[in-house]
């Protein structure tokens, strides 16, 4: 049974860097045909795609984040990670990791982790 | 401002058929598959429909998706109380070079 689990600090100070990790179990992150993605949801609002990565390819990002996001993969740990630099209160959200069929169908999601940006 | 537009709310009574709409443009719905997600409060979204009308294993056939031009619809027949949730449409946008979501529709079962 595929499971994804996000882990992160919970609270980040403004202007600092947010770092999250998604641990994948029940499937290899190197499995062909699947991309891996980060998606976030501000409290009470809708979903926003942050970016995606293939295990052996270049990541690609939502241009709205203006190059603040970086996604990487660690195949040895079956994990992928997200870094968002220069965070502000508008980055406060539940962050989800997900497995994709192709580039735009999230068929498995993590439970999500709430990241608050506050001094 | 989402690239995909959904009405913020909709409602129906048990047993009724309801249709949720998602309006886009030629760069997203008009040229790429549409997917639908269901989300209950405090939980992660769940894939409901992909590639316009395909259902993942376990999704009841009460749920169906269609597309016409630059709009898509999610139909729920025989509405049940457990269908009360938020519903999001999504598609790749070739102009924005981004995967975009609608703002979501909150469905209330009266």
């Amino acid at each position: 049974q595929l499971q994804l689990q996000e882990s992160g600090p919970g609270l980040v100070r403004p202007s600092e860097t947010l770092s999250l990790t998604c641990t994948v179990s029940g499937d290899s992150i190197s499995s062909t045909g699947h991309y891996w993605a980060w998606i976030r949801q501000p409290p009470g609002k809708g979903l926003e795609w942050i970016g995606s990565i293939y295990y052996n390819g270049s990541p690609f990002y939502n241009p709205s984040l203006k190059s603040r996001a970086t996604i990487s993969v660690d195949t040895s740990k079956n994990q992928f990670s997200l870094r968002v630099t220069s965070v502000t209160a508008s980055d406060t959200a539940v962050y989800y990791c997900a497995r994709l069929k192709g580039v735009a169908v999230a068929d498995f999601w993590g439970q999500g982790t709430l990241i608050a940006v506050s001094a | 401002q989402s690239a995909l537009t959904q009405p913020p709310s909709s409602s129906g009574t048990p047993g009724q058929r309801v249709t949720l709409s998602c309006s886009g443009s030629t760069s997203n719905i008009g040229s790429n598959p549409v997917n639908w997600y269901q989300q209950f409060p405090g939980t992660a979204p769940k894939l409901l429909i992909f590639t316009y009308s395909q259902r993942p294993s376990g999704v009841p056939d009460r749920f169906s998706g269609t597309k016409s031009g630059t709009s898509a619809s999610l139909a729920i027949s025989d509405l049940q109380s457990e269908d009360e949730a938020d519903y999001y449409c999504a598609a790749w946008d070739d102009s924005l070079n981004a995967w975009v979501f609608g703002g979501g529709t909150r469905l209330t079962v009266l």
Side-chain angles (χ1 to χ4, degrees), chain A:
Chain A
Q1 173 76 359
L2 176 65
Q3 289 188 326
L4 295 89
Q5 180 67 57
E6 306 88 350
S7 57
L11 178 67
V12 183
R13 307 295 183 195
S15 81
E16 295 188 345
T17 296
L18 177 167
S19 296
L20 293 171
T21 297
C22 181
T23 300
V24 179
S25 58
D27 187 18
S28 170
I29 204 165
S30 305
S31 60
T32 57
H34 294 297
Y35 285 77
W36 305 88
W38 288 97
I39 299 142
R40 68 182 181 180
Q41 185 172 35
K45 297 187 177 180
L47 301 164
E48 179 185 34
W49 171 69
I50 298 170
S52 302
I53 192 166
Y54 196 60
Y55 80 97
N56 67 350
S58 298
F60 49 104
Y61 304 101
N62 190 330
S64 69
L65 271 82
K66 296 180 170 58
S67 304
R68 295 192 298 123
T70 303
I71 298 176
S72 59
V73 168
D74 186 337
T75 54
S76 66
K77 295 182 179 179
N78 222 37
Q79 295 176 334
F80 63 106
S81 299
L82 169 71
R83 294 177 73 249
V84 179
T85 60
S86 305
V87 298
T88 68
S90 63
D91 293 307
T92 293
V94 174
Y95 285 74
Y96 296 100
C97 59
R99 187 185 80 169
L100 306 186
K101 292 162 61 80
V103 297
V105 180
D107 60 350
F108 281 94
W109 296 66
Q111 66 184 26
T113 187
L114 176 62
I115 300 297
V117 178
S118 174

Side-chain angles (χ1 to χ4, degrees), chain B residues 52-94:
Chain B
Y52 303 114
S53 60
Q54 304 297 307
R55 287 184 306 275
S57 174
V59 173
D61 59 7
R62 302 187 296 106
F63 294 90
S64 61
T66 58
K67 173 212 157 180
S68 178
T70 59
S71 294
S73 297
L74 173 70
I76 309 173
S77 61
D78 187 24
L79 190 65
Q80 301 179 7
S81 57
E82 58 261 35
D83 297 333
E84 188 163 285
D86 294 326
Y87 293 85
Y88 293 91
C89 59
W92 185 264
D93 190 296
D94 293 331

